[in-house]
Amino acid sequence: MAAPMWKTIPCKIAELRLDLTLACGQSFRWKEYMPGIYTGVIGNGVWQLHQTDTELFYKVYRNKDDVKAELGDAVDIKQEIKTEPDLDTVVPAKKRKKENSKMHCIKKEPVDNLIPKVKKDLETMNSHCLKSFPPVHNNSSVEQETDSDDHVLKDYFQLDIKLEEMYKSWSKADQHFSKISKEFTGIRMLRQEPVECLFSFICSSNNNISRITSMVDKLAKHYGRKILVSNCVDGEEFYIFPKVEALAAEGVEENLRKLGFGYRAKYIQQSARYIQENGGEDWLYTMRSMEYKDAKKNLMKLCGVGAKVADCVALMCLDQPGSIPVDTHVWQIAARDYMPKLKQAKSLNEKLYEEIGDYFRDLWGPYAGWAHSVLFTADLKQFKNGTKESPKKAVKRKGKDSTKEEKKKSKSK
């Protein structure tokens, strides 16, 4: 299957920062395999994302059957998939047999060599962006796919919500937010699929981002369905997140314990069974139309779902923008910058949890959960020195540090 072309939708970087939004602990399915290009799974597709100051670029890789199911039989699937020349037209079959066995993978595209002939058709991109992209397709059969994919991406990032205006409102209400947000623009809440979001955060209990990511990958690999059966992207394999019934099946808890999930294995299987017995995935989706407190109360009926996990799920996939997940980290932010009396508290009990949430809801308004995420991100270790360091700079710095260390060792000898 030929690789799809880059497509684009208008999106100012002030409305969305990929490097911050995808790395602040909302979703655990995105990785930056190449500088500035983020690869992850949304629904049944593998997505690659990149942005400039004014546009959001994307590619989508799917199984043919999934494309057919989404678009209907009226669309010519071959024309839909083959957005670039067939391999047979550019590389003779005999020569291809001599190529490395890894040719079945969709190769990483060199940053400086993405079809140079289209440079004149694109705006000049700033220094942190790719130098060139293939042009956006305009033929009718692909437009139908593009329109559908545009909708998926806009919904996932909730791009209909004007983030710049909310930043201005929060800054007027909160001097501390005004100061912090100048460096941390474009952080917005994702609208994830409820099943994936829920079980990801069940895995987050007493855990770090690296281990949570590993667990989510294991759930997808062992109980989901592989995307691109005969291909891979960035040299990696990707899987659709498993259905509730797969996680509710007999033997899941035992297998997950063997895979290193510990006590969370029980939470996952029992929560999956509860959901299955109460209407399946539809039970989760009904919470998008509930009042915040009702949605949270329902979520906390699940095994292993406490107040903090329930608030994360409510905020990140159930359309509850006023939800404030309060963990020890947020408690410390509140005590340090907003509510000094909290410094005297010895533990984060239920009463304090509600008090902190209500304080921020009164301060920031209906989208308080979004504002809270900005301060939470700014306080993460990887962003302590401002916004995230680019991979290229990190490699250079690491090289210099290594050289200095080697010199010190040689002197000591």
Side-chain angles (χ1 to χ4, degrees):
M1 181 177 73
M5 305 287 277
W6 287 99
K7 305 178 184 74
T8 181
I9 57 176
C11 180
K12 293 194 296 183
I13 203 163
E15 287 289 331
L16 169 64
R17 282 277 302 275
L18 291 176
D19 61 334
L20 298 177
T21 300
L22 298 179
C24 66
Q26 293 188 63
S27 173
F28 307 95
R29 299 268 264 164
W30 293 96
K31 296 179 177 66
E32 190 179 8
Y33 294 106
M34 292 184 67
I37 300 181
Y38 298 85
T39 306
V41 177
I42 304 176
N44 59 17
V46 180
W47 294 66
Q48 288 182 318
L49 305 177
H50 178 75
Q51 68 181 151
T52 68
D53 282 340
T54 58
E55 291 181 288
L56 178 60
F57 288 82
Y58 70 89
K59 285 184 179 184
V60 193
Y61 302 84
R62 291 189 181 89
N63 295 326
K64 289 185 178 182
D65 289 343
D66 290 329
V67 174
K68 189 181 295 184
E70 286 187 2
L71 301 177
D73 294 333
V75 177
D76 183 349
I77 300 301
K78 290 184 179 180
Q79 191 174 10
E80 192 73 40
I81 296 295
K82 290 169 59 176
T83 57
E84 293 181 353
D86 190 339
L87 194 60
D88 288 324
T89 65
V90 291
V91 182
K94 290 183 180 180
K95 186 176 181 180
R96 289 210 321 275
K97 289 181 180 179
K98 297 180 182 180
E99 294 293 330
N100 190 289
S101 60
K102 292 184 179 180
M103 275 294 288
H104 71 282
C105 291
I106 298 168
K107 291 185 176 180
K108 298 177 183 179
E109 296 176 82
V111 173
D112 296 326
N113 190 32
L114 291 173
I115 309 186
K117 67 180 180 180
V118 303
K119 282 184 178 180
K120 62 182 180 180
D121 297 323
L122 299 171
E123 296 178 358
T124 301
M125 298 183 180
N126 54 27
S127 60
H128 72 277
C129 300
L130 293 179
K131 292 183 179 179
S132 60
F133 279 92
V136 178
H137 253 339
N138 288 319
N139 54 46
S140 59
S141 66
V142 178
E143 277 182 4
Q144 187 175 351
E145 179 190 2
T146 302
D147 290 345
S148 175
D149 289 338
D150 282 2
H151 175 77
V152 170
L153 205 57
K154 288 175 182 177
D155 182 72
Y156 185 76
F157 286 110
Q158 306 194 70
L159 295 180
D160 58 321
I161 296 172
K162 303 304 178 185
L163 190 60
E164 275 189 291
E165 294 302 315
M166 293 203 298
Y167 264 65
K168 291 176 183 177
S169 176
W170 297 327
S171 294
K172 287 180 181 179
D174 178 3
Q175 188 175 1
H176 180 67
F177 181 92
S178 178
K179 180 181 177 181
I180 293 294
S181 64
K182 289 176 182 177
E183 276 199 68
F184 291 87
T185 58
I187 300 173
R188 60 193 308 126
M189 302 312 302
L190 305 176
R191 191 175 192 244
Q192 302 177 62
E193 294 182 340
V195 172
E196 178 176 332
C197 185
L198 169 65
F199 287 100
S200 295
F201 278 97
I202 288 178
C203 292
S204 74
S205 175
N206 296 315
N207 220 340
N208 58 56
I209 290 179
S210 178
R211 282 200 69 213
I212 300 167
T213 300
S214 174
M215 288 180 176
V216 172
D217 286 345
K218 287 176 182 178
L219 284 177
K221 182 176 181 179
H222 288 270
Y223 296 100
R225 180 162 56 86
K226 188 175 179 181
I227 304 172
L228 304 176
V229 176
S230 61
N231 295 280
C232 56
V233 182
D234 289 328
E236 301 289 333
E237 294 180 343
F238 295 86
Y239 297 81
I240 296 171
F241 197 82
K243 299 291 185 182
V244 170
E245 50 267 30
L247 298 176
E250 288 293 332
V252 168
E253 180 182 343
E254 291 77 8
N255 191 40
L256 291 180
R257 285 186 181 277
K258 292 177 183 177
L259 291 171
F261 282 69
Y263 62 85
R264 302 170 195 85
K266 176 182 176 181
Y267 294 168
I268 290 168
Q269 184 173 35
Q270 290 198 9
S271 291
R273 285 181 176 174
Y274 183 93
I275 294 169
Q276 193 176 28
E277 292 167 2
N278 286 273
E281 292 185 25
D282 289 344
W283 180 75
L284 288 171
Y285 279 98
T286 59
M287 296 181 211
R288 284 184 169 177
S289 58
M290 288 183 184
E291 293 294 324
Y292 159 64
K293 289 186 178 180
D294 292 332
K296 182 176 178 178
K297 184 178 179 180
N298 273 283
L299 287 169
M300 290 178 67
K301 293 177 182 178
L302 297 170
C303 184
V305 176
K308 182 250 182 177
V309 169
D311 273 318
C312 285
V313 176
L315 176 64
M316 299 171 192
C317 69
L318 296 179
D319 299 345
Q320 304 291 343
S323 178
I324 304 280
V326 182
D327 58 4
T328 304
H329 193 67
V330 175
W331 176 25
Q332 291 170 349
I333 293 173
R336 184 189 67 214
D337 302 319
Y338 293 93
M339 306 168 70
K341 69 174 185 176
L342 294 177
K343 294 177 182 179
Q344 301 173 7
K346 295 181 180 180
S347 62
L348 180 62
N349 55 38
E350 185 179 343
K351 182 180 178 182
L352 282 181
Y353 188 104
E354 291 297 324
E355 189 176 343
I356 293 169
D358 289 341
Y359 177 91
F360 285 130
R361 279 184 280 272
D362 289 339
L363 178 63
W364 295 322
Y367 280 77
W370 288 51
H372 136 279
S373 185
V374 176
L375 297 190
F376 178 85
T377 303
D379 215 58
L380 292 175
K381 287 183 180 179
Q382 65 261 43
F383 302 127
K384 276 293 187 181
N385 295 321
T387 52
K388 184 180 174 186
E389 184 178 47
S390 73
K392 285 184 178 180
K393 287 183 179 179
V395 170
K396 287 180 180 179
R397 178 177 53 76
K398 186 176 180 182
K400 289 179 181 178
D401 292 345
S402 299
T403 303
K404 289 179 181 178
E405 191 65 28
E406 287 173 3
K407 286 180 179 179
K408 286 181 181 179
K409 287 182 179 179
S410 62
K411 285 182 180 180
S412 65
K413 291 180 180 178

